[in-house]
Amino acid sequence: MAALSAWFWNERFWLPHNVTWADLADPAPGVEYPKAGHLFTALPLALGIFAVRILFERFIASTCARSLHIQPGVGRRAQPNAVLEKVFTSITKNPDSRHLDGLSKQLDWEVRKYPWMWDTRHCWYGYPYQVMTPGLYRYYVTELAFYWSLMFSQFTDIKRKDFKIMFIHHLATVGLISFSYVNNMTRVGSLVMCVHDASDFLLEAAKLANYAKYQRLCDSLFIMFSVAFFITRLVIYPVWVLNSTMFESWAIVGPYPSWWLFNFLLLVLQVLHIIWFYLIARIAVKAMLRGKVCNDVRSDIESSSGEESNTPIEGPKASFHTPKGENGTNGHCAAAKARGQNHSSG
């Protein structure tokens, strides 16, 4: 086992040249780097999410739908800071870059909380010696647990025609999150997850409108989701994220074996994005041309043979059934089903 472990964790595969695991094993006091063992935290959390989902879907959902009143969340207030308050009230309410640079030095703060969100080259400056912040750790573990729960639920939900492609998606996503955490590519990993999460709330809203039989609202939300999906997955992801992982990292850090695997998995996600957007666009175009969303482009169950009127389509996030109308046709919004049981990293 020791030989197998040494082979698997070969430093020349995982880390840039001239960096060893020992370099990352003993950080300075107060500094934390990602460790592979941290990833096990996600498994019990994933099981918990999965159990809650099963309980909610099977026992609680109908009651909540009738009685739950959702109130707007309370906004989070920024922590008070006397220096910044004085600048805001006495000097300028819109500080330029010169003021921001001066304040960051005076307060010993970063100009931005997460600078790599604005300049992706910061994903690679100082790599792999990048501190793991508590917020970024919680974000990673929660995302990993969520995708593990989707992996579990895929085997309990109705089996649809894109079962295999969804399994590949989940496998690639869990692999990417775990992989990027182990070799401390967490900054660019957070960008990948952020881009994949950005459009999903519109799909969930469309699903709620579908359940409530608000077809126009459902159709409008689905078209908005389609536009957001296109912008985030087919524009921002390749132009912003893939450009950083493939070209900026090459220039700043240089390629090494795990770099090639990481980028290969990211390209697999991009291929899946293209496939899903094709399915989404077909339904969105029909919705705009016909005034309402028509039936799905695929059947519900892999072995189904003709009941196309009650057939959801699966994709990267969550599918659902659309009830039949009185005439046996799809009486509500089928559009929001264009993405299926699970998500994206990816």
Side-chain angles (χ1 to χ4, degrees):
M1 291 298 294
L4 179 61
S5 177
W7 171 81
F8 183 81
W9 295 109
N10 188 290
E11 294 166 341
R12 297 285 59 80
F13 173 78
W14 288 96
L15 300 173
H17 300 296
N18 301 321
V19 179
T20 67
W21 291 119
D23 297 331
L24 303 174
D26 189 22
V31 173
E32 183 67 44
Y33 295 140
K35 294 181 175 61
H38 295 168
L39 298 175
F40 291 110
T41 308
L43 292 177
L45 184 58
L47 291 172
I49 293 173
F50 179 64
V52 168
R53 174 181 173 177
I54 293 297
L55 290 173
F56 183 83
E57 288 181 348
R58 299 184 179 180
F59 304 108
I60 306 174
S62 59
T63 303
C64 289
R66 290 191 301 267
S67 61
L68 184 61
H69 301 285
I70 301 176
Q71 300 296 330
V74 179
R76 296 178 62 186
R77 296 179 59 86
Q79 294 181 355
N81 184 282
V83 174
L84 297 181
E85 289 290 340
K86 183 178 180 181
V87 171
F88 182 80
T89 57
S90 305
I91 301 176
T92 177
K93 291 180 172 59
N94 298 290
D96 56 22
S97 59
R98 182 175 59 85
H99 280 109
L100 291 175
D101 289 338
L103 288 168
S104 70
K105 293 176 182 178
Q106 182 179 352
L107 298 170
D108 195 24
W109 288 5
E110 297 277 359
V111 175
R112 298 184 185 274
K113 182 66 173 178
Y114 299 108
W116 62 90
M117 292 287 289
W118 313 97
D119 183 353
T120 53
R121 292 173 296 180
H122 283 275
C123 292
W124 312 108
Y125 292 153
Y127 176 82
Y129 304 102
Q130 296 171 343
V131 176
M132 170 58 66
T133 64
L136 188 56
Y137 169 75
R138 288 191 291 268
Y139 182 43
Y140 248 77
V141 170
T142 303
E143 287 277 343
L144 182 59
F146 173 70
Y147 283 110
W148 270 119
S149 72
L150 294 183
M151 178 84 81
F152 302 154
S153 65
Q154 189 176 4
F155 295 94
T156 62
D157 292 330
I158 294 174
K159 187 176 181 181
R160 298 177 175 87
K161 284 188 175 180
D162 63 351
F163 178 90
K164 292 180 181 178
I165 194 172
M166 286 309 306
F167 186 79
I168 293 172
H169 172 267
H170 299 329
L171 202 60
T173 304
V174 169
L176 273 170
I177 294 175
S178 304
F179 185 88
S180 62
Y181 189 91
V182 168
N183 65 359
N184 204 11
M185 289 184 179
T186 52
R187 291 186 176 183
V188 74
S190 67
L191 298 183
V192 174
M193 293 187 293
C194 182
V195 166
H196 282 75
D197 290 339
S199 61
D200 291 330
F201 72 96
L202 291 170
L203 178 67
E204 303 301 333
K207 289 165 57 182
L208 292 174
N210 172 71
Y211 293 145
K213 303 181 183 179
Y214 295 132
Q215 181 167 335
R216 289 185 179 179
L217 177 60
C218 177
D219 294 348
S220 299
L221 287 169
F222 182 75
I223 292 171
M224 293 169 60
F225 159 73
S226 302
V227 173
F229 186 95
F230 175 81
I231 293 173
T232 55
R233 308 295 181 89
L234 300 185
V235 178
I236 294 177
Y237 179 75
V239 173
W240 186 43
V241 177
L242 288 182
N243 176 68
S244 181
T245 63
M246 298 179 69
F247 301 108
E248 291 178 348
S249 65
W250 183 295
I252 297 173
V253 179
Y256 48 99
S258 64
W259 180 95
W260 293 98
L261 178 58
F262 184 67
N263 279 286
F264 171 76
L265 292 174
L266 292 175
L267 290 172
V268 168
L269 283 185
Q270 183 60 26
V271 172
L272 296 176
H273 296 162
I274 295 170
I275 294 172
W276 279 316
F277 185 73
Y278 167 73
L279 298 175
I280 292 168
R282 287 183 62 181
I283 295 178
V285 169
K286 290 178 181 179
M288 291 185 289
L289 293 178
R290 302 185 184 184
K292 73 172 187 175
V293 176
C294 59
N295 287 342
D296 298 325
V297 296
R298 305 170 312 147
S299 64
D300 182 17
I301 303 176
E302 198 161 36
S303 58
S304 64
S305 60
E307 296 187 10
E308 294 295 324
S309 59
N310 191 27
T311 56
I313 185 169
E314 184 139 355
K317 184 71 175 178
S319 67
F320 55 90
H321 292 281
T322 298
K324 293 181 180 179
E326 292 180 1
N327 60 355
T329 60
N330 190 343
H332 313 300
C333 173
K337 299 176 294 190
R339 298 177 66 212
Q341 192 58 300
N342 309 292
H343 191 195
S344 127
S345 172

